[in-house]
Amino acid sequence: VSVSIKPAPTHSSASGGGSADLGREPNKVKPRSFRASDASALFGSMLAAAALVWLLFGVLLPVDNTAMASLAWMATFLLTYRFALKHTEGVLVARDRVMAVVVGALAAIVLAALTSIVIFVTVRGIKYLSTTFFTQTMEFTGPVDPSTEGGIAHALVGTLQQILLATLISVPLGVLTAVYLNEVGGRFSRSVRMFVNAMSGVPSIVAGLFIFATMNVGLGWSFSGFQAALALSILMLPTVTRTSEEILRLVPGGLREASLALGSTEWRSTWQVVLPTAKTGIVTAVILGVARVIGETAPLFMTAGGSPVMNANPFEGAQESLPLYIFRQVKQFSNEQTIPRGFAAALVLLVLVLVLFVTARAIARPKVERTGRKWRRRPRRSRTRGHRAGTSLASGTARGRRGAHRKPRLRRPSQRGAQRSTANPTSTEEEAL
Amino acid sequence: MGDLIFRGVARTAGFTVGFVLFLIGLFLLIRAIPALQSEGFSFLTTFEWTSETFGIGAILYWTVVIALVALVVAVPMAIAVALFIVEYAPPRLRKLFTSLIDLLAAVPSLIFGIWGFYYLQPKIIPLSRWLSERFSFIPIFASERGLFSSSAFIAGVVVSLMVLPITTAVIREVFSRVPPGEKEAALALGATRWGMIRTVVLPFGRGGIIGGAMLGLGRALGETIAVYIIISPIFTISPRILDLGANSIAAHIALRFGEAAADPQQLSGLMAAGLVLFLVTLGVNAVASVVVGRSRSAKGVEL
């Protein structure tokens, strides 16, 4: 089959509204991206490559290394595959198929890395999880005591208090900043947005160093959980701000206008209309912020300090935290007795992060669908006005209309809306989350 | 009246962010002054760190090397993952994959560190050995002692996984904005999917790729705990990335903090190192946002 006759193998899954339109035409030939002969080329090349690698690594020069062997197999496979396709389908198709395999393989490697992290920590950690591990502290357990002794109770308490305090500091500030960026606006909103972006790039150790420089060196305080909370809130703030801003942006302008038209002040319409509408989204923002900082270790060296005993007062005295605990057991003491304990604590931390992450998704999803339907209901009643506004929550029409009488602060959202209007509305929402 | 207060409060919150940033720079600078005065310009060029003389010459060098290794690994992977999500994956898988990449971003850096040290390192060492045996004529692959653990290369590979999510997010956002018309035009002219990607998607997304890479660079430079766990600190510079030993500003601060807490001069040196790190990451991020802001594709992409 020559290349020019063969339909482009890719069209069916190429994105965009255009191909969907084409799909509706009656005499459209549906191009298939994968045929029987392709399968034979693919699996044949895989087999050939496997045979060659086995011959090389297993028989001719025995090397006992799976990683190297699989790399070699991948390279051989790609070469064989390309060679086979070039002869049957031509060079263009060969290139296309080989690149598809390369892209898929790289994506699979990333996925494999993630899975291997989860599996590795689970396998190494699960053996030493026990109830006493959650109820004991390290007060009576030294570095050489057996792994079955000691626990993370003090670390859990410390982490909980520090995260709670950091949330109390950064969430009001972050949500207010988001409100400023999206609802109030003004001359400085561009620079504030810039600051938020810059802050999200601040290395975590610098945040810790800053708190140490101000609190310990400057004010003469000693380590405490509160200082850790301050350092963590610096790291949490940009996440909370940016996620809540994305959420506020999805609140339809019509709601704001209706509230303002009924005579409420800007403050009331923000507090009673905009924020309640975005409530679950803001909860998501908080959870993502917590997930961002719960595993932070570096700033805690300089702020919480770490301690083997229970300290339930975050405002006084050095306090332990889960990441510090793991770090100390695995890296600092680093012997056969402490490392398993560290891995068990790492498993607890990983599970916490996973739970937070899944919760954030679970909270975000139904809300988006529900509101999506609610807003979409309107166009059915009056097709002319609400139609576009209903199709895309963040879309240009609603924003644009709002922009007509309140230009300066709305320039940005309307731009975004216009750019995004091609995208599927639900996917736009979920990207924002 | 109420509105004035409301606006005022919101504006104050917004400015607090900028104020905190300013304070970070200011306080680090104040605390760094004693060290900068005693060391002068040689703070940036000295290759040792004792309580008398110290400088970040070698540390800065290795910080950049680790970050570059991370980028060399992460950027092609990020492009591939973004292409996979936007162009190749079926719609259902697309969402799942995006979530999984976000999950990768949520994994704490400490866990990357212990995974890298205990799991990945034994797997990478044979590769390092093979590279150094076959390609020792290339300076970066040469090896002096034949010890391949705790190297800049391993640290870079682990850090690459940590910068991957943010780089992928920017690139994916840009790729998903490629005008469908241009893609369909390429396909209609007979291009294969790869031909379309090469001629339309990649050129359109160039700004986003560069911006995402820079953003990843900013993250990689500031990575602390994973690097700390993996590397074994050295104070000389060499091009041999596979060899035992490397360093990084952030890891160095974490490592020396304990002993420096009782030594004001050394503490001041660490503050100065922190200041340098802060300024470098700010600079890199600023350049990233300028690059992204200027390109046709990435206008309006949030960094």
mmCIF file with all atom_site columns, all heavy atoms in Angstrom, chain A residues 394-411:
data_model
loop_
_atom_site.group_PDB
_atom_site.id
_atom_site.type_symbol
_atom_site.label_atom_id
_atom_site.label_alt_id
_atom_site.label_comp_id
_atom_site.label_asym_id
_atom_site.label_entity_id
_atom_site.label_seq_id
_atom_site.pdbx_PDB_ins_code
_atom_site.Cartn_x
_atom_site.Cartn_y
_atom_site.Cartn_z
_atom_site.occupancy
_atom_site.B_iso_or_equiv
_atom_site.pdbx_formal_charge
_atom_site.auth_seq_id
_atom_site.auth_comp_id
_atom_site.auth_asym_id
_atom_site.auth_atom_id
_atom_site.pdbx_PDB_model_num
ATOM 1   N N   . ALA A 1 394 ? -16.647 29.595 31.694 1.00 0.00 ? 394 ALA A N   1
ATOM 2   C CA  . ALA A 1 394 ? -15.615 30.613 31.759 1.00 0.00 ? 394 ALA A CA  1
ATOM 3   C C   . ALA A 1 394 ? -15.603 31.403 30.462 1.00 0.00 ? 394 ALA A C   1
ATOM 4   O O   . ALA A 1 394 ? -14.659 32.101 30.173 1.00 0.00 ? 394 ALA A O   1
ATOM 5   C CB  . ALA A 1 394 ? -14.268 29.960 31.967 1.00 0.00 ? 394 ALA A CB  1
ATOM 6   N N   . SER A 1 395 ? -16.665 31.264 29.692 1.00 0.00 ? 395 SER A N   1
ATOM 7   C CA  . SER A 1 395 ? -16.563 31.710 28.307 1.00 0.00 ? 395 SER A CA  1
ATOM 8   C C   . SER A 1 395 ? -16.756 33.201 28.132 1.00 0.00 ? 395 SER A C   1
ATOM 9   O O   . SER A 1 395 ? -17.182 33.931 29.012 1.00 0.00 ? 395 SER A O   1
ATOM 10  C CB  . SER A 1 395 ? -17.558 30.960 27.445 1.00 0.00 ? 395 SER A CB  1
ATOM 11  O OG  . SER A 1 395 ? -18.491 31.861 26.930 1.00 0.00 ? 395 SER A OG  1
ATOM 12  N N   . GLY A 1 396 ? -16.473 33.612 26.949 1.00 0.00 ? 396 GLY A N   1
ATOM 13  C CA  . GLY A 1 396 ? -16.391 35.028 26.628 1.00 0.00 ? 396 GLY A CA  1
ATOM 14  C C   . GLY A 1 396 ? -17.683 35.798 26.761 1.00 0.00 ? 396 GLY A C   1
ATOM 15  O O   . GLY A 1 396 ? -17.662 36.968 27.144 1.00 0.00 ? 396 GLY A O   1
ATOM 16  N N   . THR A 1 397 ? -18.822 35.184 26.472 1.00 0.00 ? 397 THR A N   1
ATOM 17  C CA  . THR A 1 397 ? -20.023 35.984 26.353 1.00 0.00 ? 397 THR A CA  1
ATOM 18  C C   . THR A 1 397 ? -20.400 36.648 27.672 1.00 0.00 ? 397 THR A C   1
ATOM 19  O O   . THR A 1 397 ? -20.552 37.865 27.734 1.00 0.00 ? 397 THR A O   1
ATOM 20  C CB  . THR A 1 397 ? -21.201 35.117 25.877 1.00 0.00 ? 397 THR A CB  1
ATOM 21  O OG1 . THR A 1 397 ? -20.653 34.039 25.151 1.00 0.00 ? 397 THR A OG1 1
ATOM 22  C CG2 . THR A 1 397 ? -22.119 35.918 25.025 1.00 0.00 ? 397 THR A CG2 1
ATOM 23  N N   . ALA A 1 398 ? -20.525 35.820 28.700 1.00 0.00 ? 398 ALA A N   1
ATOM 24  C CA  . ALA A 1 398 ? -20.944 36.394 29.976 1.00 0.00 ? 398 ALA A CA  1
ATOM 25  C C   . ALA A 1 398 ? -19.914 37.409 30.449 1.00 0.00 ? 398 ALA A C   1
ATOM 26  O O   . ALA A 1 398 ? -20.244 38.515 30.868 1.00 0.00 ? 398 ALA A O   1
ATOM 27  C CB  . ALA A 1 398 ? -21.076 35.296 31.011 1.00 0.00 ? 398 ALA A CB  1
ATOM 28  N N   . ARG A 1 399 ? -18.673 36.993 30.330 1.00 0.00 ? 399 ARG A N   1
ATOM 29  C CA  . ARG A 1 399 ? -17.593 37.880 30.744 1.00 0.00 ? 399 ARG A CA  1
ATOM 30  C C   . ARG A 1 399 ? -17.579 39.142 29.911 1.00 0.00 ? 399 ARG A C   1
ATOM 31  O O   . ARG A 1 399 ? -17.406 40.225 30.403 1.00 0.00 ? 399 ARG A O   1
ATOM 32  C CB  . ARG A 1 399 ? -16.265 37.156 30.579 1.00 0.00 ? 399 ARG A CB  1
ATOM 33  C CG  . ARG A 1 399 ? -16.165 35.961 31.441 1.00 0.00 ? 399 ARG A CG  1
ATOM 34  C CD  . ARG A 1 399 ? -15.839 36.431 32.797 1.00 0.00 ? 399 ARG A CD  1
ATOM 35  N NE  . ARG A 1 399 ? -15.992 35.320 33.719 1.00 0.00 ? 399 ARG A NE  1
ATOM 36  C CZ  . ARG A 1 399 ? -15.677 35.428 34.987 1.00 0.00 ? 399 ARG A CZ  1
ATOM 37  N NH1 . ARG A 1 399 ? -15.200 36.567 35.432 1.00 0.00 ? 399 ARG A NH1 1
ATOM 38  N NH2 . ARG A 1 399 ? -15.836 34.424 35.778 1.00 0.00 ? 399 ARG A NH2 1
ATOM 39  N N   . GLY A 1 400 ? -17.753 38.963 28.629 1.00 0.00 ? 400 GLY A N   1
ATOM 40  C CA  . GLY A 1 400 ? -17.666 40.094 27.716 1.00 0.00 ? 400 GLY A CA  1
ATOM 41  C C   . GLY A 1 400 ? -18.750 41.106 28.022 1.00 0.00 ? 400 GLY A C   1
ATOM 42  O O   . GLY A 1 400 ? -18.496 42.307 28.066 1.00 0.00 ? 400 GLY A O   1
ATOM 43  N N   . ARG A 1 401 ? -19.954 40.601 28.281 1.00 0.00 ? 401 ARG A N   1
ATOM 44  C CA  . ARG A 1 401 ? -21.044 41.523 28.578 1.00 0.00 ? 401 ARG A CA  1
ATOM 45  C C   . ARG A 1 401 ? -20.738 42.288 29.833 1.00 0.00 ? 401 ARG A C   1
ATOM 46  O O   . ARG A 1 401 ? -20.983 43.476 29.932 1.00 0.00 ? 401 ARG A O   1
ATOM 47  C CB  . ARG A 1 401 ? -22.338 40.731 28.753 1.00 0.00 ? 401 ARG A CB  1
ATOM 48  C CG  . ARG A 1 401 ? -23.182 40.723 27.502 1.00 0.00 ? 401 ARG A CG  1
ATOM 49  C CD  . ARG A 1 401 ? -24.551 40.194 27.823 1.00 0.00 ? 401 ARG A CD  1
ATOM 50  N NE  . ARG A 1 401 ? -24.505 38.757 28.065 1.00 0.00 ? 401 ARG A NE  1
ATOM 51  C CZ  . ARG A 1 401 ? -25.098 38.197 29.093 1.00 0.00 ? 401 ARG A CZ  1
ATOM 52  N NH1 . ARG A 1 401 ? -25.779 38.928 29.966 1.00 0.00 ? 401 ARG A NH1 1
ATOM 53  N NH2 . ARG A 1 401 ? -25.026 36.908 29.258 1.00 0.00 ? 401 ARG A NH2 1
ATOM 54  N N   . ARG A 1 402 ? -20.174 41.547 30.800 1.00 0.00 ? 402 ARG A N   1
ATOM 55  C CA  . ARG A 1 402 ? -19.815 42.217 32.033 1.00 0.00 ? 402 ARG A CA  1
ATOM 56  C C   . ARG A 1 402 ? -18.716 43.241 31.758 1.00 0.00 ? 402 ARG A C   1
ATOM 57  O O   . ARG A 1 402 ? -18.712 44.313 32.310 1.00 0.00 ? 402 ARG A O   1
ATOM 58  C CB  . ARG A 1 402 ? -19.304 41.192 33.033 1.00 0.00 ? 402 ARG A CB  1
ATOM 59  C CG  . ARG A 1 402 ? -19.753 41.437 34.407 1.00 0.00 ? 402 ARG A CG  1
ATOM 60  C CD  . ARG A 1 402 ? -19.794 40.125 35.140 1.00 0.00 ? 402 ARG A CD  1
ATOM 61  N NE  . ARG A 1 402 ? -18.425 39.637 35.328 1.00 0.00 ? 402 ARG A NE  1
ATOM 62  C CZ  . ARG A 1 402 ? -17.712 39.944 36.415 1.00 0.00 ? 402 ARG A CZ  1
ATOM 63  N NH1 . ARG A 1 402 ? -18.185 40.719 37.340 1.00 0.00 ? 402 ARG A NH1 1
ATOM 64  N NH2 . ARG A 1 402 ? -16.518 39.457 36.559 1.00 0.00 ? 402 ARG A NH2 1
ATOM 65  N N   . GLY A 1 403 ? -17.870 42.852 30.855 1.00 0.00 ? 403 GLY A N   1
ATOM 66  C CA  . GLY A 1 403 ? -16.744 43.717 30.560 1.00 0.00 ? 403 GLY A CA  1
ATOM 67  C C   . GLY A 1 403 ? -17.165 45.042 29.944 1.00 0.00 ? 403 GLY A C   1
ATOM 68  O O   . GLY A 1 403 ? -16.453 46.033 30.048 1.00 0.00 ? 403 GLY A O   1
ATOM 69  N N   . ALA A 1 404 ? -18.355 45.043 29.314 1.00 0.00 ? 404 ALA A N   1
ATOM 70  C CA  . ALA A 1 404 ? -18.765 46.243 28.618 1.00 0.00 ? 404 ALA A CA  1
ATOM 71  C C   . ALA A 1 404 ? -18.919 47.422 29.564 1.00 0.00 ? 404 ALA A C   1
ATOM 72  O O   . ALA A 1 404 ? -18.607 48.545 29.209 1.00 0.00 ? 404 ALA A O   1
ATOM 73  C CB  . ALA A 1 404 ? -20.071 45.981 27.883 1.00 0.00 ? 404 ALA A CB  1
ATOM 74  N N   . HIS A 1 405 ? -19.393 47.141 30.764 1.00 0.00 ? 405 HIS A N   1
ATOM 75  C CA  . HIS A 1 405 ? -19.582 48.311 31.628 1.00 0.00 ? 405 HIS A CA  1
ATOM 76  C C   . HIS A 1 405 ? -18.601 48.375 32.776 1.00 0.00 ? 405 HIS A C   1
ATOM 77  O O   . HIS A 1 405 ? -18.617 49.293 33.569 1.00 0.00 ? 405 HIS A O   1
ATOM 78  C CB  . HIS A 1 405 ? -21.031 48.383 32.134 1.00 0.00 ? 405 HIS A CB  1
ATOM 79  C CG  . HIS A 1 405 ? -21.465 47.159 32.870 1.00 0.00 ? 405 HIS A CG  1
ATOM 80  N ND1 . HIS A 1 405 ? -21.770 47.178 34.190 1.00 0.00 ? 405 HIS A ND1 1
ATOM 81  C CD2 . HIS A 1 405 ? -21.635 45.884 32.468 1.00 0.00 ? 405 HIS A CD2 1
ATOM 82  C CE1 . HIS A 1 405 ? -22.119 45.960 34.571 1.00 0.00 ? 405 HIS A CE1 1
ATOM 83  N NE2 . HIS A 1 405 ? -22.042 45.157 33.533 1.00 0.00 ? 405 HIS A NE2 1
ATOM 84  N N   . ARG A 1 406 ? -17.748 47.358 32.868 1.00 0.00 ? 406 ARG A N   1
ATOM 85  C CA  . ARG A 1 406 ? -16.715 47.469 33.917 1.00 0.00 ? 406 ARG A CA  1
ATOM 86  C C   . ARG A 1 406 ? -15.413 46.993 33.328 1.00 0.00 ? 406 ARG A C   1
ATOM 87  O O   . ARG A 1 406 ? -14.918 45.929 33.628 1.00 0.00 ? 406 ARG A O   1
ATOM 88  C CB  . ARG A 1 406 ? -17.092 46.629 35.118 1.00 0.00 ? 406 ARG A CB  1
ATOM 89  C CG  . ARG A 1 406 ? -17.739 47.462 36.191 1.00 0.00 ? 406 ARG A CG  1
ATOM 90  C CD  . ARG A 1 406 ? -17.811 46.661 37.434 1.00 0.00 ? 406 ARG A CD  1
ATOM 91  N NE  . ARG A 1 406 ? -19.163 46.209 37.658 1.00 0.00 ? 406 ARG A NE  1
ATOM 92  C CZ  . ARG A 1 406 ? -19.439 45.022 38.185 1.00 0.00 ? 406 ARG A CZ  1
ATOM 93  N NH1 . ARG A 1 406 ? -18.483 44.190 38.448 1.00 0.00 ? 406 ARG A NH1 1
ATOM 94  N NH2 . ARG A 1 406 ? -20.674 44.677 38.410 1.00 0.00 ? 406 ARG A NH2 1
ATOM 95  N N   . LYS A 1 407 ? -14.910 47.788 32.459 1.00 0.00 ? 407 LYS A N   1
ATOM 96  C CA  . LYS A 1 407 ? -13.828 47.301 31.629 1.00 0.00 ? 407 LYS A CA  1
ATOM 97  C C   . LYS A 1 407 ? -12.557 46.902 32.364 1.00 0.00 ? 407 LYS A C   1
ATOM 98  O O   . LYS A 1 407 ? -12.141 45.755 32.278 1.00 0.00 ? 407 LYS A O   1
ATOM 99  C CB  . LYS A 1 407 ? -13.490 48.330 30.566 1.00 0.00 ? 407 LYS A CB  1
ATOM 100 C CG  . LYS A 1 407 ? -13.507 47.660 29.195 1.00 0.00 ? 407 LYS A CG  1
ATOM 101 C CD  . LYS A 1 407 ? -13.385 48.649 28.106 1.00 0.00 ? 407 LYS A CD  1
ATOM 102 C CE  . LYS A 1 407 ? -13.955 48.112 26.827 1.00 0.00 ? 407 LYS A CE  1
ATOM 103 N NZ  . LYS A 1 407 ? -14.373 49.182 25.946 1.00 0.00 ? 407 LYS A NZ  1
ATOM 104 N N   . PRO A 1 408 ? -11.928 47.840 33.053 1.00 0.00 ? 408 PRO A N   1
ATOM 105 C CA  . PRO A 1 408 ? -10.532 47.596 33.417 1.00 0.00 ? 408 PRO A CA  1
ATOM 106 C C   . PRO A 1 408 ? -10.296 46.285 34.140 1.00 0.00 ? 408 PRO A C   1
ATOM 107 O O   . PRO A 1 408 ? -9.361  45.570 33.827 1.00 0.00 ? 408 PRO A O   1
ATOM 108 C CB  . PRO A 1 408 ? -10.193 48.785 34.328 1.00 0.00 ? 408 PRO A CB  1
ATOM 109 C CG  . PRO A 1 408 ? -11.455 49.486 34.596 1.00 0.00 ? 408 PRO A CG  1
ATOM 110 C CD  . PRO A 1 408 ? -12.424 49.107 33.548 1.00 0.00 ? 408 PRO A CD  1
ATOM 111 N N   . ARG A 1 409 ? -11.168 45.937 35.070 1.00 0.00 ? 409 ARG A N   1
ATOM 112 C CA  . ARG A 1 409 ? -10.800 44.784 35.874 1.00 0.00 ? 409 ARG A CA  1
ATOM 113 C C   . ARG A 1 409 ? -11.167 43.476 35.193 1.00 0.00 ? 409 ARG A C   1
ATOM 114 O O   . ARG A 1 409 ? -10.830 42.418 35.661 1.00 0.00 ? 409 ARG A O   1
ATOM 115 C CB  . ARG A 1 409 ? -11.444 44.876 37.232 1.00 0.00 ? 409 ARG A CB  1
ATOM 116 C CG  . ARG A 1 409 ? -12.860 44.345 37.266 1.00 0.00 ? 409 ARG A CG  1
ATOM 117 C CD  . ARG A 1 409 ? -13.250 44.193 38.692 1.00 0.00 ? 409 ARG A CD  1
ATOM 118 N NE  . ARG A 1 409 ? -13.881 45.413 39.130 1.00 0.00 ? 409 ARG A NE  1
ATOM 119 C CZ  . ARG A 1 409 ? -15.044 45.377 39.768 1.00 0.00 ? 409 ARG A CZ  1
ATOM 120 N NH1 . ARG A 1 409 ? -15.616 44.237 40.022 1.00 0.00 ? 409 ARG A NH1 1
ATOM 121 N NH2 . ARG A 1 409 ? -15.613 46.470 40.164 1.00 0.00 ? 409 ARG A NH2 1
ATOM 122 N N   . LEU A 1 410 ? -11.913 43.560 34.111 1.00 0.00 ? 410 LEU A N   1
ATOM 123 C CA  . LEU A 1 410 ? -12.363 42.313 33.518 1.00 0.00 ? 410 LEU A CA  1
ATOM 124 C C   . LEU A 1 410 ? -11.594 41.939 32.279 1.00 0.00 ? 410 LEU A C   1
ATOM 125 O O   . LEU A 1 410 ? -11.865 40.942 31.651 1.00 0.00 ? 410 LEU A O   1
ATOM 126 C CB  . LEU A 1 410 ? -13.850 42.400 33.178 1.00 0.00 ? 410 LEU A CB  1
ATOM 127 C CG  . LEU A 1 410 ? -14.679 42.405 34.446 1.00 0.00 ? 410 LEU A CG  1
ATOM 128 C CD1 . LEU A 1 410 ? -16.066 42.865 34.165 1.00 0.00 ? 410 LEU A CD1 1
ATOM 129 C CD2 . LEU A 1 410 ? -14.687 41.014 35.032 1.00 0.00 ? 410 LEU A CD2 1
ATOM 130 N N   . ARG A 1 411 ? -10.628 42.737 31.960 1.00 0.00 ? 411 ARG A N   1
ATOM 131 C CA  . ARG A 1 411 ? -9.950  42.464 30.706 1.00 0.00 ? 411 ARG A CA  1
ATOM 132 C C   . ARG A 1 411 ? -9.392  41.056 30.689 1.00 0.00 ? 411 ARG A C   1
ATOM 133 O O   . ARG A 1 411 ? -9.530  40.313 29.743 1.00 0.00 ? 411 ARG A O   1
ATOM 134 C CB  . ARG A 1 411 ? -8.825  43.463 30.506 1.00 0.00 ? 411 ARG A CB  1
ATOM 135 C CG  . ARG A 1 411 ? -8.396  43.534 29.034 1.00 0.00 ? 411 ARG A CG  1
ATOM 136 C CD  . ARG A 1 411 ? -7.358  44.607 28.852 1.00 0.00 ? 411 ARG A CD  1
ATOM 137 N NE  . ARG A 1 411 ? -7.880  45.912 29.150 1.00 0.00 ? 411 ARG A NE  1
ATOM 138 C CZ  . ARG A 1 411 ? -7.220  46.810 29.878 1.00 0.00 ? 411 ARG A CZ  1
ATOM 139 N NH1 . ARG A 1 411 ? -6.047  46.539 30.352 1.00 0.00 ? 411 ARG A NH1 1
ATOM 140 N NH2 . ARG A 1 411 ? -7.742  47.981 30.121 1.00 0.00 ? 411 ARG A NH2 1
#
